[in-house]
Amino acid sequence: MTVDDLVAIAYVLNTTLRSAHHEEQLQGAYAELSELGDLAVQEADAPPVQRLQWHIQDGEQALNQSEVAPALTEHRLDNLREGT
């Protein structure tokens, strides 16, 4: 196993831990929006509702990236093993 392999594995482990954090944060934001119910729809232009929507969008993007990162790292590891 090379240093590059170890770095890639460490990256995947860190990304996997971050994925759990992003998932938890996203679920909290969904719950908060759900608690607002119809008020969130009626007050969609209100800054607190907009911030919550942005937080959800950022959380979804971060979660997606953290889920894709292990696959990209695996691909890189395969390339390193093949010498390309």
Side-chain angles (χ1 to χ4, degrees), residues 66-78:
S66 67
E67 290 174 345
V68 169
L72 292 174
T73 303
E74 183 179 352
H75 177 70
R76 180 151 189 248
L77 276 173
D78 290 342

Side-chain angles (χ1 to χ4, degrees), residues 14-64:
N14 186 42
T15 301
T16 302
L17 295 172
R18 280 189 282 146
S19 178
H21 172 74
H22 291 311
E23 177 70 28
E24 183 179 300
Q25 293 294 312
L26 187 56
Q27 291 304 321
Y30 283 140
E32 189 176 339
L33 187 63
S34 178
E35 288 174 9
L36 292 175
D38 291 337
L39 184 61
V41 175
Q42 295 169 358
E43 299 294 327
D45 294 345
V49 175
Q50 288 181 341
R51 280 192 297 273
L52 184 56
Q53 291 285 3
W54 293 332
H55 183 67
I56 288 171
Q57 289 174 353
D58 289 345
E60 288 173 342
Q61 182 179 10
L63 184 60
N64 287 336

